[in-house]
Amino acid sequence: MAPRMLVTGGAGFIGGAVVTAALAAGWQVRVLDSLRPDVHASDSYDAVMETPGAELVVGDVGDRRVVDRCLHEVDVVCHQAAKVGLGVDISDAPDYVASNSLATAVLLAAMRDAQVGRLVMASSMVVYGEGLYRDGDRLVAAPPRAREALEAGRFEPTSSSGEPLEPALIDEDRACDPRNVYAATKYEQELLARDWARSTGGRAALLRYHNVYGPRMPQGTPYAGVASLFRSALERGEAPRVFEDGRQRRDFVHVRDVAGANLAAADWTAGVDAGTVRAFNVASGEVHTIGEFAAALAQAMGGPAPVVTGEFRMGDVRHITASSARIRAELGWRPQVPFDAGVREFASAALRPPAGRP
């Protein structure tokens, strides 16, 4: 009998791609998703049920009775369910903590009782905070950027002497430094998974996603990723609005590659020692600026060139790009979608309908 994977959040953007890839690889797949109306369109149930072979359970990861039922005869849990995005303001904090931290605690407790010992969990680059920089011969973490500097258009993190720091690739062994509510809950998810593995002998892969984009991205929500916001603006005939000076460095990784990383991680959990927990950066290995992404998308869609606004959001990081050496070496994963091809595909790919709409 084929192994069974439980994908929490499997009706979502990344979770849905994981479901599709897992089914194609021969897994039996069970999906647990709340289909929250502030996240999902009204046809989300039909979209999942139309995926041949997927079993859908509608419910919340924070509901222990539902989770207990979903863990029956499961070999590995792929935990994608989470409230994502930077958030609007501190009033979002209770929902982030309940949806991410508390729900993960419920899931892990249920996995212990059900004796399900393999976990692949969606984490995020945001756990690193401002990322890694070079200050002369030293690698340093940048301090938080001051509002006064941002208002004056001084966007680059600076050293103690006031000189701009040089961005560097960050690896998984660097200290985490979450700087907003979402980041704090993602890091807490990681800490909970580590404790679960130590106390139960479980095996966990913590996948720190970088800027994921691709078909079926969400739209029409303040929590959508920047790629979706640019695409929506261009569809309205408007120029994409790029915050700060557009030179923020990111790693844009295609959602199909992220799904592939999840399957590689699921296989990895079957072969490592009990109690093993490992974080992996899921990144393309190519550095691009947000302005470059906006310009490439505008060109692919034949739309107006991006407008650099100078606006900023407190809690945003300036540069965050990662080394993907560990996942390549230890999981044998390689990204398959080049940046230019991925952006061209994204320019015309179907997006998810706005929340609450068919």
Side-chain angles (χ1 to χ4, degrees), residues 105-278:
V106 171
L107 173 66
L108 294 172
M111 288 176 64
R112 181 203 60 184
D113 292 348
Q115 297 185 331
V116 177
R118 295 165 57 193
L119 172 68
V120 179
M121 193 176 75
S123 187
S124 171
M125 66 178 187
V126 297
V127 301
Y128 293 121
E130 191 60 62
L132 189 66
Y133 292 81
R134 192 173 299 280
D135 183 5
D137 295 331
R138 298 183 303 129
L139 288 172
V140 299
R145 298 183 294 169
R147 179 179 291 275
E148 304 79 55
L150 297 173
E151 288 175 343
R154 299 193 303 273
F155 301 119
E156 294 293 343
T158 56
S159 67
S160 56
S161 63
E163 294 298 314
L165 296 169
E166 178 186 352
L169 298 182
I170 195 166
D171 62 41
E172 295 88 346
D173 291 329
R174 296 289 170 177
C176 292
D177 183 20
R179 297 189 178 183
N180 56 58
V181 171
Y182 170 59
T185 62
K186 296 308 289 184
Y187 188 44
E188 188 169 24
Q189 285 182 291
E190 288 198 10
L191 295 175
L192 290 166
R194 290 181 185 278
D195 185 69
W196 165 82
R198 282 193 297 265
S199 63
T200 68
R203 301 157 173 88
L206 313 176
L207 303 185
R208 293 173 177 170
Y209 300 157
H210 284 250
N211 283 70
V212 185
Y213 75 101
R216 301 292 293 172
M217 276 196 86
Q219 61 177 323
T221 165
Y223 308 98
V226 66
S228 175
L229 298 176
F230 291 161
R231 164 73 186 269
S232 295
L234 287 162
E235 287 183 331
R236 296 191 301 267
E238 302 170 2
R241 296 174 60 83
V242 180
F243 280 14
E244 300 188 17
D245 59 4
R247 297 176 184 170
Q248 307 94 306
R249 290 160 54 101
R250 297 291 188 270
D251 187 305
F252 293 91
V253 59
H254 196 278
V255 69
R256 286 198 299 275
D257 286 333
V258 173
N262 275 270
L263 296 195
D267 290 341
W268 173 86
T269 61
V272 294
D273 293 339
T276 300
V277 182
R278 198 81 163 137

